[in-house]
Amino acid sequence: MTTASGQSFKNVINGELVDAAEGATYDVVDPATGEVYARAPLSGAADLDKAYGAADAAFEGWAYATPKERATALLKIADAIDARAEEICRVEVADTGKPFQITMDEEMGMASDHFRFFAGATRVLEGKSAGEYLEDHTSWIRREPIGVIGQVTPWNYPLMMMIWKIAPALAAGNTVVLKPSDTTPASSTLLAEICQEFLPPGVLNVVCGDRDTGRALVAHPTPQMVAITGSVRAGMEVAGSAATDLKRVHLELGGKAPVIVFDDADIEKAAEAIAVAGYFNAGQDCTAATRVLAGPGIHDEFVSALAEQARSTRTGMPDDEDILYGALNNADQLARVKGMVDRLPDHATIASGGAPATVDGGANGFFYEPTVLSGLRQDDEQIQTEIFGPVITVQRFSDEAEALAWANGVQYGLSSSVWTKDHGRAMRMSRKLDFGVVWINTHIPFVSEMPHGGFKHSGYGKDLSMYGLEDYTRIKHVMSYIGE
């Protein structure tokens, strides 16, 4: 349906596309133009009750479906994503401001691949062998779905983070009520609509709304587990709310990835790869390569090389094929990034960028220049706090021990990388780095088969891989007396 400002999105509840029960809506803004382009339901308690009621009613049938039946449904969803990839990508770009072609190339194939992986994974869940651990008694393990799952996804990768959440949950036999970020409901509602053709009504529900909707989704008494990808603040709030009735919690939160470049690294290759991994998606990635620690012998040259990469990196409108990244997601995020750079201490230096960007066709959009900062100290705000923008910092370390101490010396523990030709050094660092992911001579690749998740304030639980599937199951011990 079209409105004066563009599209009007719908909730997806019990297999139907519906407005909020009270008819309330809110504006959705295109980050590239800064203009309202759509409206979405502002859902309340009645909408959540309806969605959770549908998920609860659908749970038994979906939980008892055979792994083959669930896998078949997920494979059909994957095929539908491939068939409608350009349409889905256009929708994703509209409320994220991402470059269209890069999003097509980097996200659409991965989106369907994740569904295909979990379709296969649901058919090969493993447990301990049945056996007589007590005389005249046989024990075995059942791995069962948890129940109804409440999920909250962020605005930086709305489509991909939705898939990371729903694919393992559905594969394991759970039913879902998901709330996308209020700024990016488009691809989540479209994907949910596509899924309805292949899933029984109520298995997957999407409810749009603001932060209050998200809080109510987490606090609702129906879900047995809640999962969120978001900020540390949001994760702590979710964990606290869930604790009141002992819901399980799955948290993938912020990051401040150390990128440790030793003196023996190839400076030009490392600078090019790190710039891409730091500026991709405007740095709005909790694994982004935005905190570089450079060895004493290469620091100055590396800052220069990285600054040159920044100067050759372009931001712009989604259909510009020569850009690496588009707009920041919203006005608040642009103000946050600008504020972090504007508050630089006197001992720090802006090697490149450092200001909002001017873009043809996006005069009111939320653009920021690719930026390199040097001279920062370990306790500076820009080192300790996630900036979540196209800003890369560079620190000079003196030796391996200091590099490790500085790398681990933040509240986050999501991802990291080490750049060196010394295999022994790479192995030592990978063992001692307190992060859930360690890349060596690369940064940011993901595959469906390998887990992603953090330590410390970056949360707990794993996305992707068999570990991600297991997180959405519970373990039951069954024992049978077999004596005469």
Side-chain angles (χ1 to χ4, degrees):
M1 183 176 71
T2 302
T3 69
S5 59
Q7 295 176 281
S8 180
F9 303 122
K10 303 282 188 179
N11 289 333
V12 182
I13 299 177
N14 202 29
E16 298 180 349
L17 278 63
V18 296
D19 294 319
E22 296 184 0
T25 62
Y26 67 90
D27 292 339
V28 182
V29 174
D30 179 344
T33 65
E35 304 296 330
V36 174
Y37 88 99
R39 297 190 66 78
L42 182 58
S43 303
D47 305 294
L48 289 170
D49 286 344
K50 184 177 180 181
Y52 273 128
D56 194 38
F59 172 67
E60 183 170 330
W62 185 244
Y64 290 160
T66 64
K68 178 182 177 181
E69 290 170 331
R70 295 199 296 270
T72 298
L74 297 190
L75 290 171
K76 289 179 178 178
I77 293 170
D79 290 343
I81 291 173
D82 287 341
R84 300 176 66 174
E86 183 171 347
E87 175 192 3
I88 296 169
C89 187
R90 287 290 179 194
V91 167
E92 177 81 343
V93 164
D95 61 6
T96 62
K98 297 179 182 182
F100 171 77
Q101 194 56 53
I102 288 178
T103 305
M104 275 290 293
D105 295 343
E106 297 292 333
E107 294 192 33
M108 294 302 107
M110 190 178 293
S112 57
D113 182 68
H114 291 329
F115 272 107
R116 291 192 176 99
F117 171 79
F118 284 110
T122 191
R123 302 184 71 169
V124 293
L125 274 173
E126 296 180 353
K128 286 187 176 181
S129 173
E132 288 66 53
Y133 301 95
L134 179 67
E135 184 178 357
D136 291 335
H137 293 76
T138 297
S139 289
W140 65 95
I141 296 295
R142 289 182 56 88
R143 187 178 286 276
E144 301 177 339
I146 293 169
V148 177
I149 312 293
Q151 299 179 327
V152 179
T153 52
W155 46 253
N156 59 332
Y157 291 99
L159 176 69
M160 200 60 63
M161 295 300 97
M162 177 182 182
I163 292 171
W164 282 22
K165 290 285 181 285
I166 69 172
L170 297 177
N174 303 284
T175 56
V176 172
V177 176
L178 180 142
K179 190 199 88 69
S181 169
D182 57 332
T183 66
T184 56
S187 60
S188 300
T189 53
L190 176 58
L191 180 58
E193 180 182 349
I194 291 170
C195 289
Q196 300 313 304
E197 182 180 349
F198 312 109
L199 299 173
V203 169
L204 173 62
N205 308 272
V206 169
V207 178
C208 300
D210 59 10
R211 288 183 178 179
D212 288 339
T213 310
R215 292 184 179 102
L217 180 144
V218 172
H220 199 280
T222 297
Q224 297 297 304
M225 174 179 173
V226 290
I228 179 176
T229 296
S231 67
V232 174
R233 175 203 56 77
M236 289 180 172
E237 188 173 329
V238 166
S241 175
T244 61
D245 58 357
L246 295 179
K247 294 182 179 78
R248 294 192 184 201
V249 180
H250 187 285
L251 304 175
E252 200 271 273
L253 309 177
K256 193 70 175 173
V259 182
I260 307 169
V261 185
F262 284 95
D263 286 346
D264 63 342
D266 185 312
I267 293 176
E268 295 302 323
K269 287 183 178 179
E272 181 179 2
I274 290 166
V276 172
Y279 296 135
F280 189 85
N281 199 32
Q284 297 171 128
D285 189 319
C286 48
T287 63
T290 55
R291 182 168 65 105
V292 175
L293 308 175
I298 63 163
H299 174 273
D300 293 349
E301 187 178 355
F302 192 80
V303 170
S304 296
L306 199 54
E308 183 59 34
Q309 288 292 329
R311 285 189 286 271
S312 65
T313 298
R314 292 188 61 240
T315 182
M317 301 298 283
D319 285 331
D320 185 341
E321 295 186 1
D322 294 327
I323 65 171
L324 176 64
Y325 68 88
L328 294 172
N329 181 257
N330 54 74
D332 288 345
Q333 188 60 23
L334 176 60
R336 172 183 171 82
V337 173
K338 182 178 183 299
M340 293 286 279
V341 177
D342 289 349
R343 292 192 300 274
L344 279 181
D346 292 340
H347 53 261
T349 301
I350 299 175
S352 184
T358 301
V359 170
D360 290 342
N364 297 313
F366 313 129
F367 297 94
Y368 200 85
E369 296 174 342
T371 297
V372 177
L373 308 177
S374 64
L376 287 160
R377 298 170 184 167
Q378 182 66 11
D379 59 353
D380 286 334
E381 175 190 19
Q382 294 78 8
I383 297 298
Q384 292 296 321
T385 303
E386 187 174 35
I387 299 175
F388 221 58
V391 179
I392 298 177
T393 65
V394 186
Q395 297 169 264
R396 184 200 305 265
F397 66 82
S398 59
D399 55 26
E400 185 176 315
E402 185 171 62
L404 182 66
W406 285 359
N408 288 337
V410 294
Q411 65 176 334
Y412 307 94
L414 187 57
S415 61
S416 59
S417 64
V418 179
W419 301 74
T420 180
K421 297 174 184 176
D422 186 328
H423 177 75
R425 173 188 286 150
M427 292 299 97
R428 288 194 301 276
M429 297 298 288
S430 67
R431 178 168 65 93
K432 295 180 179 179
L433 282 166
D434 196 13
F435 296 84
V437 179
V438 180
W439 288 291
I440 298 173
N441 294 325
T442 188
H443 193 107
I444 225 167
F446 292 96
V447 293
S448 299
E449 295 85 354
M450 289 292 111
H452 177 69
F455 309 145
K456 300 189 292 187
H457 282 193
S458 290
Y460 41 81
K462 297 297 181 184
D463 290 314
L464 305 177
S465 79
M466 290 300 295
Y467 300 101
L469 181 60
E470 290 173 0
D471 277 359
Y472 285 96
T473 66
R474 65 184 190 182
I475 301 299
K476 178 185 288 183
H477 168 218
V478 181
M479 177 182 280
S480 175
Y481 175 68
I482 60 173
E484 296 181 359

